[in-house]
Amino acid sequence: MLDAFSAPYMQRALVEIALLAVLAGVLGAWIVLRRLAFFTHSVGTATFPGLVVAGPWGIAPQLAALIAALGFAGARERLARGREGEEDAATGILLVGALALGALLASDVYRSGAGVDRLLFGTLIGLSGRDLALTALAAALALAADAALRRAWLARAFDPDGARALGVAVAWPERILLAAVAGAVIVALAAVGALLVSVVLVVPAATVRLLARDVRTLQLGTGALAAVEGVAALWLADGLNVSPGPAMAVLGGAVFALVALLTRGRS
Amino acid sequence: MLSDPITRRALFEVLILALALGPLGVWVLLHRQAYAAESMSHGLLPGLVLAALAGVPLVLGAAGGALLAAGAIALAARDERIRADLGVAVAVSALFGLGALLALAPEAPPRLEELLFGDLLGISGADLLAAAGLALAVCAALAAAHRPLALTAFDRGAAHALGARALHWETVLLVLLGVGTVAAAPGLGSLLLVALVIAPAAAALRVTRRLAPALALAAAIAAGAGFGGLALSYYADLAAGASVAMCAVAAPILTRLAT
Amino acid sequence: MSAPLVRTEELSGGYRPGTDALTGVTFAAEAGEVVAILGPNGGGKSTLFRALLGELPQRRGTVELAGRPAYVPQTERARLDFPVSALDVALMGAYGRTPWYRRLARADRAAARAALARVGLEAEAGERFGALSGGQRQRVLIARALVQDAPVLLLDEPLSGVDAPSAARIEALFEELRGEGRALLVATHDVRQARSWQRVLCLHGRQIAYGDPAAVLTPDVLQATYGAELVVLGDGSTAIAVEHHEH
């Protein structure tokens, strides 16, 4: 089994997964506690058109993804303005619009049909040094943000009304959290794809949430679980000749279901 | 364009779907179930893949996938320890990943792109008939259930007092959503079909809040999107399903800009 | 006589421009006073607290406060499924005075433990917040306010739905806090309770009355405040209980 991990591409993939596990651990807890799972998934999906044009236009995929995500955020802001209860529908419409746009760009403009799988579900063999460097940067920034702002994030998550009354700053820690999550999504795209960023950033945290009694444990447990699931997914992906995203999705889902079943008695 | 038999077939399919999905979408939005619509369509992917691998009509796979997805989502939403939308997110991403895994792993993989983005022009006869049948069934059911659906949508305060009745009709709506999803999956694909459900309806509801006009307008906008999308696809040589989806999405964006 | 810890004059405001949720509130709370805020739901009690906390978007009139007030919300508003212990929650009271680049001081941890002991929950410090009873959770939120060490405390229905032992503890704590020279503003539905405190402020969108409970809490005032025929009820935990004194 260890032979599988000796190839250079696998070693890069391992490093990437380890770094993503750090991101999953640090930010996944907050994603789950602050109910940002849909936001995480949305950002991932929204980047798809950007990813499609990145190669042909010669821009770094992460940059194209960032621009696409910002465009999406702006459009979302304008589309759902005012009307309450329309946010879900507005986001859903823009997401399917992003997918359709990406599909159009891929099918006609760039005839890159075969590459679409890689963009949607990630790649095992296509990770570059730059991808790793950016992921490492994102992980370092996430750790720093967590160290500085975890109290603000906790107060806001626990009691939104009372947080400001406590004298805790709320607005800019919130913005930094959303930016950190978006950044994590953007660097996770390479490995797991635009449609499955949740399997790294959300699912392990949701699983450990069923067990953890405090935030620190939640974070550490999530990081560990994400690392284990990630490595197993890499091995599975290599063996089945698929991308890591789907492999991790199935593993993560199975582990979550198992833990949910086993802990059902607890309150 | 209309002289081309392939396009005629696709137009027939998409117009029938529009007739069902337009009004269905209005009910979905009025009951605040946009997220359920998206989850259902993504979650049924494994069914589509298995049908493609087995060589059976995609509609059957979609039906099986939808049942599995509905079951998984219902289970996940029931657990009180995690909030419903987190459980649904986990279930949908697992199912979706499973679908992708099944599609990417085999030696002779099915055309995953067609399952994701639809194969409107290449749809089989069986799928076309099934889609038409199911769509018409949805239309009929929506017409029959019009009054109770209106009651539960608009009178949410009283709906709570109605208790079991309200839940019953919400479930009926979700079932119809499932049927509509299954009808549209082979043609528009797991990722794009939701465009025809929520986008025309969103546009219609921006124009009018009166129920009957909204239902009719949603169907009309959906039909327009279908026609426009196929025209775009034919003349500009673009992917058909994606073109239809883009036209559908354009509708609420344009109405938003105009109001 | 020293300045009151809370003073407002013609305080008005709302959440949207043009519509006022509250008008003409003029009152003061001195050190050592418990002021009951009476009024129906939606009548302006929460709005008043928001205004005092500086969170009301459209605010007019004068507000004078001796420092940032501590706010004790109703327990239902806090998340019950959260991975935090009672001690973690109490410790949040120190967050406001600790800049983001500093760790929490050991003194703050000690203060949190002491606050929990003061509300009688020393043994439950390590328990998960959501696993505690309603009354215990309310006491933890009060402990959080104690850690904040604010001269003014705003409490939103701290005794509603709370078991009798917890309620007794909380009321005893109010007396202690009075003795420390703090001012407490307590939103409540319990008229009986309001009579036992130093001042009462009746709100129904606007200020109906303010002053000594014995003088203020007449049937007329209560009628104007609650806007409906008042009913005598046997148990008074969340419903309005008015004692009609038959002379």
Side-chain angles (χ1 to χ4, degrees):
Chain A
M1 173 178 164
L2 287 177
D3 278 351
F5 291 112
S6 60
Y9 71 84
M10 274 302 258
Q11 289 181 339
R12 271 199 296 278
L14 272 174
V15 173
E16 179 75 2
I17 281 291
L19 293 169
L20 287 176
V22 170
L23 278 166
V26 172
L27 294 177
W30 299 113
I31 292 174
V32 164
L33 291 176
R34 287 280 291 110
R35 298 176 184 164
L36 294 173
F38 188 48
F39 171 78
T40 307
H41 173 74
S42 307
V43 174
T45 307
T47 64
F48 179 53
L51 293 177
V52 170
V53 300
W57 290 1
I59 10 177
Q62 287 88 352
L63 181 60
L66 177 62
I67 295 172
L70 288 173
F72 174 85
R76 160 97 178 57
E77 174 67 31
R78 303 211 53 209
L79 192 62
R81 193 175 288 165
R83 306 279 193 94
E84 209 250 80
E86 270 193 12
E87 284 111 31
D88 257 14
T91 311
I93 290 169
L94 286 175
L95 287 180
V96 71
L99 288 170
L101 179 61
L104 283 177
L105 291 169
S107 81
D108 171 68
V109 186
Y110 297 107
R111 308 242 173 246
S112 52
V116 165
D117 290 350
R118 180 173 65 82
L119 302 178
L120 292 175
F121 301 114
T123 178
L124 190 55
I125 58 176
L127 297 171
S128 71
R130 182 176 59 192
D131 293 328
L132 297 185
L134 286 171
T135 310
L137 179 63
L141 290 174
L143 283 168
D146 179 77
L149 299 173
R150 58 188 297 115
R151 290 199 300 264
W153 290 345
L154 182 64
R156 163 74 172 83
F158 174 70
D159 178 14
D161 291 331
R164 235 172 294 144
L166 285 173
V168 171
V170 164
W172 55 266
E174 181 79 358
R175 282 184 219 125
I176 291 178
L177 178 60
L178 293 178
V181 171
V185 168
I186 287 171
V187 297
L189 292 171
V192 295
L195 293 178
L196 291 176
V197 290
S198 307
V199 303
V200 171
L201 295 174
V202 179
V203 176
T207 311
V208 178
R209 175 97 162 81
L210 298 169
L211 302 166
R213 293 185 44 135
D214 64 89
V215 178
R216 192 71 77 184
T217 309
L218 177 55
Q219 291 179 305
L220 291 171
T222 301
L225 181 62
V228 168
E229 282 181 5
V231 171
L234 287 183
W235 180 71
L236 195 63
D238 193 45
L240 291 177
N241 203 21
V242 298
S243 33
M248 193 158 175
V250 173
L251 275 173
V255 172
F256 177 83
L258 192 65
V259 172
L261 262 166
L262 289 176
T263 57
R264 202 134 56 123
R266 299 230 223 136
S267 66
Chain B
M1 151 180 142
L2 291 175
S3 59
D4 178 34
I6 296 178
T7 313
R8 267 206 308 272
R9 233 156 141 259
L11 189 61
F12 173 67
E13 153 113 10
V14 89
L15 288 178
I16 294 250
L17 285 177
L19 207 60
L21 297 182
L24 181 63
V26 171
W27 291 117
V28 164
L29 288 184
L30 289 175
H31 282 85
R32 313 271 177 96
Q33 298 289 345
Y35 187 55
E38 208 185 311
S39 307
M40 279 289 275
S41 58
H42 291 197
L44 58 71
L45 184 64
L48 281 178
V49 174
L50 287 174
L53 285 173
V56 304
L58 292 178
V59 154
L60 290 177
L67 280 172
L68 177 64
I73 290 171
L75 268 178
R78 191 168 297 231
D79 194 316
E80 288 135 14
R81 289 164 302 151
I82 37 168
R83 255 176 58 101
D85 56 348
L86 181 61
V88 171
V90 174
V92 171
S93 69
L95 284 171
F96 193 71
L98 175 64
L101 190 69
L102 290 171
L104 295 172
E107 288 299 324
R111 302 280 308 272
L112 181 57
E113 260 106 73
E114 282 166 13
L115 300 176
L116 293 174
F117 298 108
D119 187 16
L120 201 51
L121 299 175
I123 192 167
S124 76
D127 283 325
L128 181 59
L129 277 173
L134 290 174
L136 289 173
V138 169
C139 285
L142 285 179
H146 183 103
R147 191 162 298 170
L149 284 177
L151 188 63
T152 51
F154 287 118
D155 212 352
R156 305 220 99 214
H160 184 73
L162 291 171
R165 264 182 57 87
L167 186 63
H168 167 67
W169 288 108
E170 293 240 330
T171 310
V172 166
L173 179 62
L174 289 175
V175 167
L176 291 178
L177 176 61
V179 175
T181 303
V182 168
L188 293 171
S190 164
L191 291 180
L192 297 181
L193 72 91
V194 76
L196 216 54
V197 177
I198 58 179
L205 285 172
R206 247 188 215 279
V207 172
T208 171
R209 288 308 276 202
R210 281 170 44 235
L211 189 53
L215 292 168
L217 189 57
I221 294 176
F227 189 85
L230 280 174
L232 204 60
S233 160
Y234 185 79
Y235 291 111
D237 196 22
L238 295 172
S243 304
V244 170
M246 276 306 273
C247 288
V249 167
I253 293 178
L254 289 173
T255 54
R256 172 72 182 86
L257 291 175
T259 56
Chain C
M1 188 164 82
S2 55
L5 296 182
V6 184
R7 197 179 77 83
T8 73
E9 200 172 305
E10 287 302 316
L11 173 63
S12 312
Y15 298 94
R16 278 186 282 274
T19 49
D20 274 344
L22 202 58
T23 52
V25 177
T26 302
F27 78 103
E30 310 278 344
E33 279 189 343
V34 180
V35 178
I37 319 278
L38 279 183
N41 288 329
K45 304 199 295 293
S46 304
T47 310
L48 174 63
F49 282 176
R50 278 242 153 78
L52 293 174
L53 290 169
E55 286 173 31
L56 198 61
Q58 317 288 329
R59 188 183 90 175
R60 304 184 307 283
T62 316
V63 173
E64 283 166 16
L65 283 168
R68 179 196 302 278
Y71 176 54
V72 180
Q74 297 182 50
T75 57
E76 292 71 38
R77 314 282 306 226
R79 298 270 298 277
L80 292 185
D81 56 344
F82 236 63
V84 282
S85 66
L87 185 62
D88 291 329
V89 176
L91 207 45
M92 287 184 194
Y95 282 10
R97 57 174 177 260
T98 315
W100 59 268
Y101 48 83
R102 281 238 194 88
R103 306 184 62 148
L104 289 173
R106 193 167 296 185
D108 288 325
R109 272 180 218 283
R113 284 196 186 277
L116 284 177
R118 237 180 127 176
V119 297
L121 290 174
E122 195 163 8
E124 282 82 359
E127 290 292 313
R128 204 170 57 82
F129 178 78
L132 300 174
S133 77
Q136 290 175 320
R137 293 199 302 272
Q138 189 69 73
R139 280 145 68 194
V140 171
L141 291 177
I142 293 177
R144 182 175 75 171
L146 294 177
V147 173
Q148 241 182 295
D149 200 21
V152 178
L153 284 86
L154 310 176
L155 298 102
D156 198 346
E157 299 192 41
L159 294 160
S160 68
V162 160
D163 53 278
S166 290
R169 259 221 125 88
I170 293 173
E171 292 193 60
L173 185 61
F174 286 179
E175 290 302 306
E176 283 176 36
L177 293 172
R178 280 186 63 206
E180 289 171 11
R182 300 182 206 268
L184 276 66
L185 302 184
V186 184
T188 179
H189 274 300
D190 195 336
V191 177
R192 222 179 350 220
Q193 216 170 64
R195 282 187 206 281
S196 64
W197 291 328
Q198 289 67 54
R199 293 262 179 271
V200 65
L201 171 65
C202 297
L203 295 177
H204 187 163
R206 61 186 177 86
Q207 178 163 323
I208 309 289
Y210 167 66
D212 192 325
V216 162
L217 292 178
T218 64
D220 285 340
V221 165
L222 288 170
Q223 184 107 345
T225 306
Y226 287 99
E229 204 55 59
L230 298 172
V231 177
V232 180
L233 291 173
D235 130 287
S237 60
T238 54
I240 299 148
V242 180
E243 276 139 89
H244 292 291
H245 293 285
E246 243 74 58
H247 296 293

